[in-house]
Amino acid sequence: VITFSAIIGKPLLSVLQNTSLIRIMAQQEQQTGLAGKEVILSCKDTSHQRDSTCTWKYKYKEVSSTIISFSRSNIFKGKAPMTHRSELKSESKQLKVSDLRLDDAGIYTCACNSPAVSISLHVFKLTVSSNGHLLANEDLELTLMQNSSHSQPHLSIELFNISSKIVTTEILQNEAPQKYILKLKQLKATDSGTWMCHVYSNSPLINQNISFDVKVLGFGEERLEIMYTTVGDTVILSWHLNFRKIEWKEGFIGKLNWEPQGKAAIHELLDFNVTTRQELHKTKKSNHIWFEIPEKKTDSTIEVKIPKVQLNHSGRYQCQLEINSRRIWSMKALVVMQVSANPVGPLSRGGKMTLLCQVSGPLPSNAHLLWERVNGTEMEIKKSKQHEAKVEVNVSAPGLWNCHLMENNNTKISLNYTVEEAHVWNSYAVIGAIIGASVLVIGLACVCIITGMSWQRRRKRAKRIAQAKQYLLEKKTCQCQRPQQYK
């Protein structure tokens, strides 16, 4: 006996089954819902009877159960899985299901003494890694799952960023069509905002947008930044945190470390913490007195101020954030320039001087130091060798010299040194010596005058005291001689 299925073949039988499924689905209303959200299902009552009894039923696969049955006088709640999350709108007979779950997908039927209305509910669930709270340079992983009473269709998925531009992602379809995994590599702090996942299918027709929030905690500047300065200048190193901008609600901690140039030791300059109320608290940890921490109550910036930079202040400054044992950091390198002369002082006639320009630490391959004399010739230009952090130039004539730190033919910083002739310097010294000697002579004269006047006053006072003593002595002698005359 040859069966009908054997005659038409399995491919044709599959087509007939799919055609039958499409016909069944065409007789039902199609509606989509998102897990965690709510969905409202409408009931079309064509009987228009106020006292009619209406019943909402739920069916998944072959299992059917009552959600709720109601009339004008009473309401009966059934034992369907979503009954306790369901709410009935008596006037419109609409069914509202809250906190939708993936298992709530199925056929919902409303019967009110008239032909029943069936709704096929297709539920999507989108899960975002770390609940959408990421640190900069971490990967974002999305898991999209679907469920329905019929076989799940294969989906076309597109991801749109905060600028509504399509983002290329890696899509894993090992468990498709029930489950899709999307991976996006190394998000930046600027990726924070609302993203959109667009889901599309031809059969059944699905055109669903699923929005989700992404918050990427990080710094305003994430790449290595090199700061150039000269000895004696004031420098402020700052790191801007975006926790207030993205409304980050979780607390986290952090610290600022300094690694001196050419040394393996690491010094912790300060630590800080941010509370769930977005309050930033800083504490100085190092005993170094050469840096300051500017106080700002409502700011979200970590700052270190160095009033007078020295060559030994150079190195790498690293700001680090930590939350739940996950860490990110941002690095700033401080490069300091200094110029000096050997020997120090004026240039004597016929003499020579060596000018030294140096920076702290090695230079990258695209950077170099350059000595040049102002209004000089091409012969009076000296360039450093590759990767060398200093350059020397021999000087035999007075003038103004500039040292430049060049990077890709762009001047980053400059420092000048003036070479003076010896006689000019000596004339300044003679004038200074004359002025100093004059001031010294005038000072000595004043001291002598004051001392002389004081000495004269003391001499006159001593003379008056001696005269007074002599007068008292003579008066006493006279008084003693008078009684002897009466005897």
Side-chain angles (χ1 to χ4, degrees), residues 227-229 231 235 237 257-263 265 267 269 290 306 308-317 332-337 358-362:
M227 298 188 64
Y228 299 97
T229 187
V231 170
V235 172
L237 303 172
N257 293 331
W258 169 53
E259 182 181 353
Q261 182 65 42
K263 298 181 181 179
H267 304 274
L269 301 184
W290 47 264
I306 308 176
K308 293 183 178 180
V309 177
Q310 299 300 319
L311 207 63
N312 59 353
H313 295 160
S314 61
R316 292 175 177 264
Y317 293 77
K332 294 183 185 294
L334 181 62
V335 178
V336 183
M337 174 187 283
Q358 61 180 334
V359 293
S360 55

Side-chain angles (χ1 to χ4, degrees), residues 166-185:
I166 297 178
V167 179
T168 302
T169 61
E170 178 186 1
I171 302 179
L172 304 180
Q173 304 187 44
N174 297 336
E175 302 179 48
Q178 289 82 10
K179 183 178 181 180
Y180 297 82
I181 297 178
L182 291 76
K183 289 189 175 183
L184 193 61
K185 301 289 186 180

Side-chain angles (χ1 to χ4, degrees), residues 119-177:
I119 301 174
S120 177
L121 181 62
H122 197 123
V123 180
F124 293 98
K125 181 180 180 180
L126 182 66
T127 305
V128 186
S129 59
S130 300
N131 199 26
H133 288 62
L134 305 174
L135 297 182
N137 295 321
E138 287 187 337
D139 298 341
L140 175 67
E141 183 173 296
L142 304 175
T143 302
L144 179 66
M145 301 181 68
Q146 64 171 333
N147 191 18
S148 67
S149 59
H150 309 295
S151 58
Q152 284 81 26
H154 286 272
L155 304 173
S156 297
I157 304 173
E158 290 180 329
L159 196 61
F160 294 84
N161 62 13
I162 59 174
S163 301
S164 300
K165 295 181 179 179
I166 297 178
V167 179
T168 302
T169 61
E170 178 186 1
I171 302 179
L172 304 180
Q173 304 187 44
N174 297 336
E175 302 179 48

Side-chain angles (χ1 to χ4, degrees), residues 256-299:
L256 177 62
N257 293 331
W258 169 53
E259 182 181 353
Q261 182 65 42
K263 298 181 181 179
I266 297 178
H267 304 274
E268 184 178 349
L269 301 184
L270 64 90
D271 63 13
F272 59 92
N273 67 83
V274 175
T275 66
T276 54
R277 296 182 179 180
Q278 299 184 356
E279 297 173 347
L280 175 60
H281 302 285
K282 311 171 192 175
T283 305
K284 188 173 182 179
K285 302 292 289 185
S286 175
N287 294 325
H288 295 290
I289 61 174
W290 47 264
F291 77 94
E292 303 172 1
I293 303 176
E295 288 293 335
K296 295 183 180 180
K297 294 182 179 179
T298 59
D299 198 11

Side-chain angles (χ1 to χ4, degrees), residues 108-123:
Y108 290 77
T109 303
C110 176
C112 296
N113 295 330
S114 61
V117 176
S118 295
I119 301 174
S120 177
L121 181 62
H122 197 123
V123 180

